[in-house]
Amino acid sequence: MNSIWSPPVFTYRSLRTLGFFIAILGGVGTRHLPANGGDVNFNRDIRPLLAKHCFTCHGPDEAAREADLRLDVFDSATADLGGYQAIQPGDAAASELITRITSDDSDARMPPPGAGPPLDSVAIEKFKRWINQGAEFEQHWSFVPPRKASVPDVPSPEWCEGVIDRFTLRRMNDAGLEPTEPANRADLARRLYLDLTGLPPTPDQVDRFVANSSPTATRRLVDELLASPDYGPHAAAAWLDLARYADTNGYEKDRPRTMWPYRDWVINSLNEDKPFDQFSIEQLAGDMLPNPTQEHLIATGFHRNTMLNEEGGIDPLEYRYYAMIDRVGTTGTVWMGLTVGCAQCHTHKYDPIKHDDFYSLYSLLNQADEPEVPLVDETLRARQAELELKISEHEDVIIHRYFAKDPNVHADNVIQRDFDRWFAQQRGLASQWTVLRPDSMSASTPKLNLLDDGSILAQGDTTKREVYELTFPPTLAGTEYTALRLEALPHHSLPAGGPGMAFYEGRRGDFFLSELSVHADDESVALCDASHSFGKISVGSGSAAASGVLDRNGSTGWSTATQENRANRLVVNFERPFASSTPWTVRLLFERHFAASLGHFRVSATTRPETPVVASEHVADVEQELVNEQLTSEAHRNHSAFTAVVAKMRRHYVRTAVRLQNERKPIEILEQSLPELTQALVFREREPGDYRPTFRHHRGEYLQPKEPVEPGIPEVFAAPDQPSPRNRLELAQWLVSDGNPLVTRVAANRAWRHFWGNGLVRTSGDYGTQSEPPTHPELLDWLAVELSANGWSMKRLHRQMVLSATYQQRVAAPPATDPSNRLLAVHPYRRLQAEQIRDAMLAASGTLVREQAGPGVYPPQPSGVYELAYGGGSWPSSTGADRFRRSIYTFRKRTAPFAAFSVFDAPTGETCLARRDQSTTPLQSLTLLNDEMYMELAREAAGAALRDGGPEDRDIVSNLFRRFLTRVPTDDEISSITQFTNDMATQTDSAEQRWTLVARAILNLDEVISIP
C-alpha cells in the first residue's frame, strides 16, 4: 500500500536543519536587515525586539517599570530624562538606548546580565537605522481597525477561483513559488465532506461527484454540505473548546451538571447560520435582550461552563472569584484574541492591558446572578400531565375503596377509622396564622426580596455562614403571639426548585437552618418546643430535629433534604406570650460545611392560646378552612366547603399513610416515571439598584481587594467620542462592533485554521505584541471586513474558503524554501481531530446514528478510566442507538475525559482552548488497534462488507477499503489486502473473525484518519 501518502517524520537532526533553513531563507527572527536603502519598519523589525528584550522592565506595567522609562510609547521613549533621551529621533549616536545596548560595562549594559542575552549586532544595527530614520512608532497591527485592501493583480489570474487566491498567489509569486496541481475529485469530495460535516462521504456520493462534469458541481456540493444538519455538530466542536464545555463541575468531586442544552443551542445556531454578532451577543447577554426567550437564556450558558468546586472546606465566594477570573480571560481570548488573563495580577508586560482594565471588564461581567431555569418542553409536559392523571386515577380508586359514602359499606374499615383519628388530630392542631411582613431585611451575602404574598426570596451569592435578620414593626395593641411559623417554600429560580440555595449536586435545593432566635429591645426572647412537618439532613442520614434550631449549637438544625421543590414548616413557641412596643427581629443562622441558606420562605405568627403549637402534617392550603370549621357554629358551617377540605385531606392521607404503602406501589412506579423538566444553567442580570461592587485585587489575590473599580473596556480601545460599555449587554455589543478591531480578525482566522490546520495568525489565542504577525495581513483584513459587511455569516465565509483554488490544491510535502507551508503552495497534511476519528469509523461501519440533541451518551471505553476519578463508579456504557451517536454527544467528565478522545488531544473542558495541540504517540496506534470501541466498529464494518461486498474476496476487500477511505483502491492495494486476508484465514476460526482483522488493519491506516 505504498500509494498511501504519510506525513514526513522529523528527527532531531531534521528539525535543526529546518531551523537552519528558516534562518537563511528569511524566517522570523533577528538575523536579517532590510536591503541597503530599505526602511526599518517599527512593527516588523523593532517592536519584536523591544517586546523580547525591553518591555519586561520598560513596558506598560508601571509596577515593574525601571528608571521611570517606558519604551512602548513615543512620548516616554523620547522624553528628556534629566539631560538625556533614551531615543533621540534622527540621531542614534545621541540616544541613550544605543549607548546602553552597545556598552561593554556590565553595570550599564542593557539588558542587564541575568535578564537575557545581549542584543546581537544585527539587532543593534536595526535599532540604529530605525532611530536615524526618525524613530517612528506605529500602533501594533492588531489594534488598528482592519481595512479592506485592494485585491492584488497576479500574473496567472486564470488559476484563481476568487479573491482569496489572488492574495495567496501574490505571496507565492513574491517568494518564487507556484501553486501545486488541484486535488483529484475523489480526494476533494472526501476533504469537503470531512471539513464541512466531520463525516466521510459514502462511495456512492464520491462516485456521483466524480462523474459530474458540470462546472458548478463543486459549488453545488459545498452548498449541500453547508445546508446539511451534519454541519452544526462538526462546526460546534471548536466553539465548545473555547466555551470550556463539559458535563461535570470539575475539581475534586466533579459531579454531573446539566449543560447539554447549551451544547444543543450552539449546534442549532450554527446549523441555522445565526450571524456571528448575534451568536456572540446572545451568549454573553441573552438574558438582557428585550423580551428574552428561552433560547436566549440557554445561550448565556457560555459563561456558566466555568468549573464549580463542591469541596466542603472551600469558601464559595472565593471560587466564584476564580470563576469570574476565568470568564474575563475567556472573553478576552474568544472575542479579542488577547491574553487578557495576564493582567489579573499586574498590568500586562507586553500588551496595553492595564491591571485596572482587567477588573473593569470583571465588573461588567460581575452583575449577573447564576440561577437555573426549567426549560419548557411541550412533549415533556404532555407526558407529565398524562402520568399525573394516571396517578390521580389510582388515588381515586383507593379513595373509593376505603371512603365510600354508604356507611354500611366497609363497616369494619380500619383505614377509615385511622383517617378519622388523624383528621381529628389535624383539626385540633390547625392554627390561625398571620403572615408577618418585615419592614427591613438584611443578609450576609444574598439579597432578600419581599414578594407580594409576604414571602421572602433570596437571590445572588451565598456562603457557608449566612445570617438573615428580619425586622418587624411593633405588635398591635392587645396582640400577643404564642408561636412563630417558618415556611420553607419552593421557587422556580432556586436550584432543584428550592427551598434552599445549595447548588451542589446531591444537595441542590437544600438548606440547613442552624439557629433561629428572636430579639426585642436588645434582648433575646425565650423560645421553646420546636417542631416540623418534615425534617431530614440528607439521603441515608437521620432526621434533622427541629429542636436543633434552639440549642445554640451550629452543627445541629433543621433541613428538609429529599423533599426539594416542596413546602414544609417549622414552628417554634414563645415561652411566654410575646408582644413588643418597638421593632423586633427574627434572626436566622445558616451554618454548614457547604453553602445552605434558605432561598424562599415566609414567617407567620399565631395568637392561639393552646400551647404548645405544633407543626402539623395537614395540607397547607386547607389549614384556614380547618380553623374556620373550628370557630364556626354548626348552624353556620359551609358544609360544601368543608366537604372539599375533607376530600383534600383524604387525598393527602392516601399519599402519606403508612397503612397504605402497599396500595401505593403502583403509584410509586408511576411517580418514578415522571419526567423532570430540564434545568438550564443561565445568567440573569441583577436589578439596577442591586449593584455588586468590584474591587481591584492586589496581585490577583482573592483576599486582597483594594479600591473599587468602575465597569469599562480596556483603555486602549476607548474612543473619546463614544461612551464606554456600562453593563454586560453593552459589552457584548461593543465586542462585535467596529470599536473592537480584533473580533472580525479573530473569527476569520479561526475559520481559516479550521480548513488549513493553521491560521493566518498562528498564535490563535494571542494577537498581541508577542504574537507572530499574520502571514497574509492584507488577506486577513479582507476576510475580516467581508465577514462583518456581509451579515456576519460564518457559512458564507466557509463557502468562500473551500471554493478557493488555494484550498482545492493537492496535499503534498511543502517546498524546501517554505518548509512550514506558510505561503500555502500545497494543501497541508491534516489529521482528523479526536471526535472526527470516531465519527468517521462510525460512518464507515454503518452504525452511525445521526439523532441530535439531548443528554450526553456513553460509548464503550476501557474499564478503569472512569474509576480513577474522585468517587470511583463505573462508566455506564450505552446500548442501542445511543451507543453509536456522534461524538459531540459523548458525556464529558472533566477529571476522567473519554479515553479515546484524550489520546488524540481532545481537551478536558477545564479552560478555554483557542487551539488544540496535535501529538503523535504510540498510544494512538494502540488505541485504534485495541480499544473495545474500535474493535466493535471493525466487527460491524466487516459484517456489513460481507453482506454487501459481493461473492469474491476482492469484492469484499474493495467494499471494506472504500468504506474507510472512500476512494477506489489500486490493484496493488487490493492484492496486498487480499494476501493479508489469506494469511488471516489460517489464524482465525471464522470468516467474521478474519474479516474483522482485515477491517481492523484498514482502519489503522494513516490515510483513514487524515484529510486528503
Side-chain angles (χ1 to χ4, degrees), residues 643-709:
T643 299
V645 170
V646 173
K648 285 185 177 181
M649 295 295 284
R650 280 177 175 165
R651 193 169 296 275
H652 180 76
Y653 175 85
V654 165
R655 292 174 178 175
T656 59
V658 175
R659 288 181 179 275
L660 292 175
Q661 58 186 3
N662 289 330
E663 305 270 359
R664 283 199 302 272
K665 286 183 178 177
I667 295 175
E668 290 170 356
I669 293 173
L670 289 171
E671 287 176 336
Q672 291 169 3
S673 302
L674 277 171
E676 294 184 6
L677 290 178
T678 300
Q679 300 282 330
L681 280 66
V682 305
F683 266 7
R684 180 176 288 130
E685 191 74 353
R686 292 187 155 200
E687 296 298 323
D690 187 23
Y691 182 77
R692 182 188 278 127
T694 298
F695 303 90
R696 180 185 66 83
H697 287 254
H698 181 62
R699 304 299 297 170
E701 291 285 350
Y702 167 67
L703 294 176
Q704 294 198 56
K706 299 299 181 183
E707 70 278 1
V709 176

Side-chain angles (χ1 to χ4, degrees), residues 42 47 50-51 54-55 57-61 65 69-77 87 137-140 347-353 769:
F42 177 79
R47 186 188 292 276
L50 290 171
C54 308
F55 283 174
C57 299
H58 302 291
D61 189 356
R65 196 174 302 145
L69 172 62
R70 194 173 170 183
L71 291 175
D72 62 318
V73 290
F74 178 84
D75 289 346
S76 175
I87 295 173
F137 276 68
E138 296 173 315
Q139 193 172 19
H140 187 257
T347 293
H348 204 298
K349 293 188 183 301
Y350 304 104
D351 295 334
I353 308 294
T769 60

Side-chain angles (χ1 to χ4, degrees), residues 364-403:
L364 288 168
L365 297 171
N366 198 26
Q367 306 312 316
D369 287 331
E370 303 176 21
E372 299 177 13
V373 296
L375 301 184
V376 176
D377 183 319
E378 294 306 325
T379 302
L380 207 62
R381 287 192 184 278
R383 177 61 176 161
Q384 271 187 324
E386 177 188 352
L387 291 173
E388 286 169 353
L389 178 61
K390 289 182 179 180
I391 289 170
S392 181
E393 290 171 348
H394 275 282
E395 291 172 349
D396 289 341
V397 170
I398 299 173
I399 291 169
H400 181 75
R401 182 179 304 151
Y402 293 110
F403 302 104

Side-chain angles (χ1 to χ4, degrees), residues 70-131:
R70 194 173 170 183
L71 291 175
D72 62 318
V73 290
F74 178 84
D75 289 346
S76 175
T78 59
D80 187 332
L81 298 175
Y84 69 90
Q85 291 173 258
I87 295 173
Q88 185 166 320
D91 191 347
S95 299
E96 184 69 14
L97 183 144
I98 300 300
T99 301
R100 290 301 188 96
I101 65 176
T102 58
S103 175
D104 294 327
D105 183 349
S106 60
D107 292 333
R109 188 177 180 104
M110 291 291 152
L119 277 74
D120 59 29
S121 58
V122 175
I124 292 171
E125 187 60 25
K126 281 186 178 183
F127 272 119
K128 290 178 179 179
R129 287 176 59 176
W130 169 67
I131 293 173

Side-chain angles (χ1 to χ4, degrees), residues 502 506-513 532 534-546 555-564 592-594 596:
R507 297 189 176 105
R508 291 170 68 251
D510 195 6
F511 70 93
F512 189 85
L513 176 62
H532 58 245
F534 176 82
K536 193 173 183 64
I537 295 177
S538 62
V539 177
S541 301
S543 64
S555 62
T556 60
W558 179 54
S559 171
T560 61
T562 73
Q563 286 207 1
E564 287 73 33
R592 199 67 171 159
H593 63 279
F594 61 95

Side-chain angles (χ1 to χ4, degrees), residues 159 161 165 180-185 188 191-192 209 218-219 222 756 799 801-811 827:
W159 178 80
E161 295 288 343
D165 300 319
T180 191
E181 64 268 20
N184 68 62
R185 290 180 66 77
L188 179 60
R191 183 186 302 172
L192 287 168
F209 178 71
T218 302
R219 294 177 182 270
V222 168
W756 277 272
R799 187 178 189 273
M801 290 180 178
V802 300
L803 287 176
S804 68
T806 309
Y807 172 83
Q808 294 181 27
Q809 293 178 101
R810 180 174 64 88
V811 172
H827 194 82

Side-chain angles (χ1 to χ4, degrees), residues 342-615:
C342 293
Q344 172 193 347
C345 303
H346 50 72
T347 293
H348 204 298
K349 293 188 183 301
Y350 304 104
D351 295 334
I353 308 294
K354 297 181 178 179
H355 190 34
D356 286 351
D357 289 339
F358 181 90
Y359 290 98
S360 292
L361 282 171
Y362 184 114
S363 182
L364 288 168
L365 297 171
N366 198 26
Q367 306 312 316
D369 287 331
E370 303 176 21
E372 299 177 13
V373 296
L375 301 184
V376 176
D377 183 319
E378 294 306 325
T379 302
L380 207 62
R381 287 192 184 278
R383 177 61 176 161
Q384 271 187 324
E386 177 188 352
L387 291 173
E388 286 169 353
L389 178 61
K390 289 182 179 180
I391 289 170
S392 181
E393 290 171 348
H394 275 282
E395 291 172 349
D396 289 341
V397 170
I398 299 173
I399 291 169
H400 181 75
R401 182 179 304 151
Y402 293 110
F403 302 104
K405 293 182 179 180
D406 185 350
N408 296 318
V409 177
H410 303 300
D412 60 345
N413 189 339
V414 175
I415 300 298
Q416 178 70 63
R417 292 198 299 272
D418 189 61
F419 169 76
D420 290 341
R421 285 194 298 270
W422 176 78
F423 184 55
Q425 180 189 35
Q426 298 306 308
R427 291 173 67 187
L429 294 175
S431 301
Q432 180 83 32
W433 293 99
T434 300
V435 174
L436 303 179
R437 300 175 68 91
D439 284 343
S440 63
M441 303 176 291
S442 67
S444 305
T445 312
K447 181 187 178 185
L448 302 182
N449 304 281
L450 184 63
L451 305 185
D452 291 341
D453 62 356
S455 65
I456 298 164
L457 180 65
Q459 293 179 304
D461 308 324
T462 184
T463 65
K464 294 185 295 182
R465 190 182 192 278
E466 293 289 351
V467 178
Y468 294 178
E469 289 194 352
L470 316 174
T471 301
F472 298 96
T475 55
L476 296 175
T479 298
E480 291 186 329
Y481 295 138
T482 55
L484 289 178
R485 180 180 68 180
L486 178 68
E487 294 175 272
L489 304 169
H491 196 273
H492 63 83
S493 70
L494 299 171
M501 298 181 74
F503 48 82
Y504 307 101
E505 194 64 33
R507 297 189 176 105
R508 291 170 68 251
D510 195 6
F511 70 93
F512 189 85
L513 176 62
S514 300
E515 294 292 313
L516 183 152
S517 58
V518 176
H519 305 267
D521 299 322
D522 295 326
E523 298 286 340
S524 294
V525 178
L527 302 172
C528 63
D529 298 321
S531 60
H532 58 245
S533 59
F534 176 82
K536 193 173 183 64
I537 295 177
S538 62
V539 177
S541 301
S543 64
S547 59
V549 304
L550 302 180
D551 62 3
R552 299 185 180 181
N553 181 351
S555 62
T556 60
W558 179 54
S559 171
T560 61
T562 73
Q563 286 207 1
E564 287 73 33
N565 205 22
R566 298 187 193 179
N568 273 292
R569 298 169 293 285
L570 172 80
V571 172
V572 296
N573 289 260
F574 291 100
E575 281 194 356
R576 288 178 295 278
F578 170 73
S580 178
S581 60
T582 61
W584 56 284
T585 300
V586 173
R587 185 174 297 153
L588 307 175
L589 169 65
F590 305 94
E591 190 170 43
R592 199 67 171 159
H593 63 279
F594 61 95
S597 48
L598 257 175
H600 189 210
F601 60 97
R602 183 166 47 212
V603 178
S604 305
T606 185
T607 59
R608 174 178 172 161
E610 298 87 355
T611 56
V613 181
V614 178

